[in-house]
Amino acid sequence: MKILVCISHVPDTTSKINFVDDDTKFDVQGVQFVINPNDEFGLTRAMWLKEKQDASIDVINVGNQTSEPTLRKALAIGADRAIRINAEPIDGFFVAKQIAEFIKENPYDLIIAGRESIDYNGAMVPGLIAGFLNIDYVTNCTKLDIENGKATLDREIDGGKETLSGSLPIIIGGQKGLVEESDLRIPNMRGIMQARQKPLDTIEPFDFSPNTSTIKFHKPEPKQAVKLVDSDNLDELINLLHNEAKVL
Amino acid sequence: MAVLTYIESSNGKIKKSGFELASYACELAKQTNSSAIAITINCPDTSEIANYGIDKVLKVNSDSLNEFNAKLYSDVISQASTNFDCDRIVLSSSSDSKYLAPLLAAKIDASYLNNVISLPSNLNPFTVRRTAFTNKAFSDTSSSSKNIIIGLSNNSFGLVENSVSLSEEDFQVNLENSNLAVESTEKASGTISIADADIVVSAGRGMKGPENWNLIEDLANTLGAATACSKPVSDMGWRPHSEHVGQTGKPVATNLYIAIGISGAIQHLAGINSSKIKVVINNDPEAPFFKAADYGVVGDAFEVVPKLNEKLKEFNLQNS
Ligand SMILES: Cc1cc2nc3c(=O)[nH]c(=O)nc-3n(C[C@H](O)[C@H](O)[C@H](O)COP(=O)(O)OP(=O)(O)OC[C@H]3O[C@@H](n4cnc5c(N)ncnc54)[C@H](O)[C@@H]3O)c2cc1C
């Protein structure tokens, strides 16, 4: 089984969010980048499939050279080969087009992406790839088992979950649940050494343009100070919620 | 050119988020000098939508659509958008709509803008404000595509009441087969889901253990609220994973979010920040949540929550 895991290179969850160039670009100064958490759950699930069912794992990222350490980390965790499509990931459409074109030339049985990236929160890359290539797609995926070319998957729905069955090839948008946090792997020395020998191929982008652009970023207005209510005066809290905030 | 909005239903009735979508679609149509059309799938009673300005609804009825299937549902919406020449499509931020949106975008060659919180500030190029960086920032994003799909963030726009008379039209669709089959669905019955709730009562490690959640559930019952929890609470198995909210859990964009015994870590706040009003109950006045909240009570949850519950019951009686 050939697995492709799409890796987004995103600022760590505790990063300070600032913008530069007249508020049109994210300020990367001093920011630590990581594998998008939703993608890392998927990568770890892929490792289990590899270890139990003899799969090969390629990882792919659309990005410039700065995402190479993130791809190396994916190799150190256990992926076999990394591919970087050498272009700025301007929007989800552009990224999905690039990856879809790559898959057209290099078919996979299972394609794993995250349900969304935690930076731009586009929530569209796996769905667009599925749409462009007409491959079955399940997102918010919290469970994935594959046996004899058949897939069984859980999808988180509002207020519960749904169990689906399908066949390969399939694309998923993964999240926590595919594996748990305690299952995530911290690369060990051997993994890191091996990763240096593994192929990290750079390919030039296919000829597509983004279909959106960011005009400007804004940060939320500084919040007004909290209004404290004494715990012996909860009527006042209800009064404020009813008459001032108008949410009761 | 027209605006099309897909209005979701459950148990044969329009979901509440549909009224906000209808309001947004009608205002967008006004702004673009076009008209707004709604589409529903297997929803017998669509009348309420006319209270929010929609005067035309396409009704799709098919047994093959009884279960949600993102591919088939996106086919339905794509056929309607082509037939009625719709270049703007407004979708909710439910997990089903977010699932079908990119499939639809690929099919009709549209730009997909999600987490949208405003009407366009500019029509040429079409520019809307969306949340980004998990609610830590906003992005004014534009698209020049002919077709644009707008994923509206829950409770970000509000309702615009405007009663009109509604014409209903049955809409026939051509459906392909899907390889994906739903084997089973588990849904907590009788409880309100976080995505649909106006009020969410959320609790954290400060509640000490799962045996104390009756306090949280009682308060939620009184308020007609959904219950949620912080990540460690679901990690420890005190509460089901479906209640975990935050950056790595479910996003919450509700009118009122009440956080009880939750410290307010950045990853928690990121996921709930787009809620309108935030109330914190915590015995530590230094808890970071107080910086993010609108109202706060410094106190022991085990005393404050039952007291608040009793007061709210009185309030409900007086206001019913
Ligand atoms: C990559 C990553 C992703 C994460 N994603 C999420 C996420 O999606 N959602 C999430 O919630 N967390 C997430 N976290 C975890 C987050 O950093 C915090 O650890 C977590 O939110 C803390 O949960 P808590 O507030 O319930 O517990 P604590 O931080 O332990 O806070 C408990 C609070 O309860 C108060 N308390 C104690 N006793 C009482 C009492 N009797 N009455 C009133 N108050 C009391 C305390 O003062 C304290 O403020 C993530 C972390 C990482 C690293």
Side-chain angles (χ1 to χ4, degrees):
Chain A
M1 178 166 50
K2 287 183 68 185
I3 305 176
L4 180 68
V5 183
C6 306
I7 301 282
S8 182
H9 164 79
V10 300
D12 175 63
T13 53
T14 53
S15 304
K16 290 262 175 293
I17 307 296
N18 289 309
F19 302 101
V20 291
D21 289 1
D22 207 12
D23 289 336
T24 57
K25 281 208 176 69
F26 176 66
D27 184 1
V28 297
Q29 202 72 43
V31 169
Q32 168 124 21
F33 281 79
V34 296
I35 300 177
N36 182 43
N38 291 316
D39 308 351
E40 194 172 350
F41 292 121
L43 175 60
T44 310
R45 187 70 192 96
M47 285 300 299
W48 292 6
L49 290 169
K50 172 176 159 168
E51 285 155 3
K52 297 207 182 89
Q53 301 177 4
D54 193 25
S56 70
I57 305 174
D58 290 356
V59 291
I60 190 166
N61 166 264
V62 179
N64 60 34
Q65 217 168 2
T66 58
S67 39
E68 291 201 352
T70 297
L71 285 173
R72 284 277 174 223
K73 179 170 177 206
L75 293 172
I77 289 172
D80 300 295
R81 169 191 175 214
I83 301 113
R84 180 172 68 82
I85 300 184
N86 184 27
E88 282 298 322
I90 309 264
D91 68 10
F93 172 82
F94 178 78
V95 170
K97 271 286 183 200
Q98 298 298 327
I99 297 176
E101 285 304 304
F102 177 81
I103 295 170
K104 259 190 216 166
E105 294 171 9
N106 307 274
Y108 289 86
D109 303 299
L110 170 64
I111 298 145
I112 300 179
R115 68 158 191 211
E116 70 171 21
S117 68
I118 62 166
D119 48 2
Y120 300 99
N121 313 124
M124 67 179 92
V125 168
L128 285 173
I129 296 173
F132 295 146
L133 300 177
N134 202 13
I135 298 177
D136 289 325
Y137 167 53
V138 175
T139 194
N140 289 14
C141 189
T142 53
K143 190 161 181 253
L144 167 70
D145 287 307
I146 292 182
E147 225 162 295
N148 304 326
K150 296 273 172 223
T152 317
L153 318 96
D154 280 354
R155 173 173 82 98
E156 190 171 88
I157 55 176
D158 296 337
K161 72 170 184 191
E162 185 178 79
T163 302
L164 297 150
S165 64
S167 48
L168 301 183
I170 200 162
I171 301 185
I172 68 156
Q175 64 177 61
K176 179 162 135 52
L178 277 180
V179 302
E180 290 306 322
E181 235 130 56
S182 49
D183 302 319
L184 297 178
R185 298 178 181 191
I186 298 159
N188 57 21
M189 206 26 117
R190 192 160 147 258
I192 294 168
M193 297 301 282
Q194 279 176 343
R196 292 198 192 141
Q197 312 300 323
K198 291 179 180 172
L200 193 167
D201 301 331
T202 305
I203 60 174
E204 288 311 307
F206 302 89
D207 189 15
F208 291 100
S209 306
N211 72 9
T212 60
S213 54
T214 299
I215 308 279
K216 217 175 182 60
F217 289 106
H218 305 265
K219 297 223 281 181
E221 300 283 322
K223 253 196 54 58
Q224 289 202 333
V226 62
K227 278 194 189 166
L228 289 180
V229 177
D230 199 273
S231 60
D232 291 325
N233 193 10
L234 294 172
D235 287 318
E236 176 61 7
L237 180 63
I238 294 172
N239 174 37
L240 287 167
L241 292 175
H242 181 57
N243 292 314
E244 186 176 83
K246 300 199 183 338
V247 287
L248 281 188
Chain B
M1 292 296 128
V3 178
L4 178 69
T5 181
Y6 163 52
I7 305 281
E8 291 164 296
S9 55
S10 83
N11 303 324
K13 280 196 67 165
I14 286 175
K15 278 200 188 174
K16 243 196 64 227
S17 62
F19 304 138
E20 187 175 28
L21 286 187
S23 304
Y24 185 94
C26 290
E27 291 299 307
L28 179 61
K30 240 190 241 167
Q31 205 181 337
T32 53
N33 277 324
S34 61
S35 55
I37 310 170
I39 182 166
T40 60
I41 297 176
N42 292 347
C43 177
D45 179 9
T46 59
S47 56
E48 281 181 295
I49 202 80
N51 297 334
Y52 300 91
I54 291 283
D55 58 9
K56 175 170 173 169
V57 60
L58 307 174
K59 296 177 81 163
V60 178
N61 287 298
S62 162
D63 283 343
S64 0
L65 299 170
N66 280 340
E67 265 149 358
F68 176 80
N69 179 300
K71 183 166 178 290
L72 301 186
Y73 275 47
S74 66
D75 280 341
V76 167
I77 301 169
S78 129
Q79 287 169 30
S81 76
T82 312
N83 269 19
F84 292 89
D85 209 11
C86 300
D87 57 351
R88 299 290 176 266
I89 298 173
V90 183
L91 299 178
S92 84
S93 52
S94 72
S95 49
D96 287 352
S97 283
K98 279 182 143 174
Y99 181 9
L100 69 81
L103 296 175
L104 177 63
K107 201 159 298 168
I108 61 172
D109 201 12
S111 289
Y112 170 41
L113 304 172
N114 77 346
N115 299 328
V116 168
I117 56 165
S118 76
L119 282 168
S121 57
N122 193 353
L123 290 177
N124 198 6
F126 188 87
T127 308
V128 283
R129 186 159 291 186
R130 4 180 342 260
T131 59
F133 293 92
T134 326
N135 295 315
K136 285 181 250 176
F138 303 107
S139 158
D140 289 342
T141 309
S142 73
S143 165
S144 302
S145 300
K146 180 177 169 292
N147 295 324
I148 297 175
I149 300 171
I150 296 141
L152 185 66
S153 189
N154 252 350
N155 290 319
S156 63
F157 183 69
L159 302 178
V160 182
E161 289 188 36
N162 173 22
S163 288
V164 293
S165 71
L166 181 68
S167 77
E168 301 189 334
E169 185 175 322
D170 284 325
F171 182 63
Q172 301 296 331
V173 288
N174 301 314
L175 295 173
E176 290 173 29
N177 287 331
S178 167
N179 298 324
L180 283 173
V182 176
E183 300 294 335
S184 62
T185 307
E186 276 175 38
K187 232 176 169 164
S189 61
T191 59
I192 304 162
S193 80
I194 293 169
D196 296 330
D198 271 335
I199 303 179
V200 172
V201 175
S202 187
R205 205 143 56 173
M207 289 309 294
K208 309 279 192 283
E211 65 280 6
N212 299 322
W213 244 262
N214 59 321
L215 297 179
I216 304 303
E217 281 171 348
D218 288 349
L219 181 64
N221 266 338
T222 306
L223 286 164
T227 49
C229 69
S230 69
K231 180 167 161 304
V233 164
S234 74
D235 284 350
M236 292 182 294
W238 294 1
R239 299 296 291 174
H241 280 295
S242 53
E243 284 196 5
H244 159 204
V245 298
Q247 181 149 19
T248 50
K250 279 210 171 61
V252 184
T254 182
N255 276 328
L256 173 58
Y257 184 81
I258 305 181
I260 302 164
I262 296 178
S263 57
I266 187 164
Q267 298 91 355
H268 184 87
L269 295 177
I272 62 98
N273 240 338
S274 52
S275 296
K276 270 220 188 77
I277 299 291
K278 282 148 274 189
V279 175
V280 54
I281 299 172
N282 197 307
N283 61 3
D284 173 10
E286 301 297 317
F289 214 117
F290 284 101
K291 293 217 166 60
D294 301 281
Y295 304 102
V297 180
V298 179
D300 185 345
F302 293 88
E303 287 164 24
V304 176
V305 173
K307 239 179 4 186
L308 180 62
N309 189 24
E310 290 311 313
K311 301 255 181 217
L312 279 165
K313 281 187 188 157
E314 286 169 29
F315 172 84
N316 283 350
L317 280 178
Q318 282 160 18
N319 286 272
S320 61

